[in-house]
Amino acid sequence: TQAADIALGSYHSCAVSRQKGLMCWGNNEYGQLGVGTTTDTNSAVMVTDIGDVVDVATRASHTCAISVGQLYCWGRNSAGQLGTGDQDDSSTLLSSFSDAVSFGVGIAHTCASTDSGEVWCW
């Protein structure tokens, strides 16, 4: 599979294929690979609970991706960086924000912007 985009976290990585599929690999202590487990893997695994991915970003222990204007985040949530209103880690994709056109992830925070220019951070 040929990669169209790649994101490198501290101990995990993800790639968007040219067919807009998402694959992740590496450390998965907090579920940051998005495959429903916390098992580490040295080989790329498909993230299946997401449609056509247009962008992905990783950081220390969480991952976010945009699919059809919807921002999904998963992994560590110690500071609420998944945008769910709690601090529960998740190994499955959580819908964090709709109408997203761009986003960025920090060590313990996430920001997204909308088509109308609004910027939201959590």
Side-chain angles (χ1 to χ4, degrees):
T1 302
Q2 295 181 333
D5 189 19
I6 191 163
L8 306 175
S10 296
Y11 299 101
H12 75 292
S13 303
C14 294
V16 178
S17 72
R18 289 191 179 173
Q19 296 77 27
K20 301 189 184 296
L22 182 63
M23 301 161 288
C24 296
W25 62 95
N27 179 276
N28 197 28
E29 180 178 357
Y30 301 99
Q32 60 265 41
L33 301 184
V35 294
T37 72
T38 55
T39 304
D40 299 346
T41 179
N42 293 327
S43 301
V45 290
M46 290 296 296
V47 179
T48 57
D49 292 337
I50 194 168
D52 290 350
V53 175
V54 295
D55 196 9
V56 64
T58 61
R59 195 56 188 220
S61 300
H62 80 291
T63 305
C64 296
I66 290 180
S67 174
V68 194
Q70 186 70 41
L71 180 65
Y72 296 91
C73 296
W74 57 94
R76 191 168 192 184
N77 198 29
S78 59
Q81 60 264 48
L82 301 185
T84 57
D86 58 38
Q87 293 181 322
D88 298 332
D89 300 338
S90 180
S91 63
T92 59
L93 284 60
L94 301 172
S95 178
S96 298
F97 191 80
S98 56
D99 300 324
V101 294
S102 66
F103 70 101
V105 299
I107 291 174
H109 66 286
T110 304
C111 293
S113 66
T114 66
D115 205 17
S116 64
E118 294 177 285
V119 176
W120 296 80
C121 295
W122 52 91

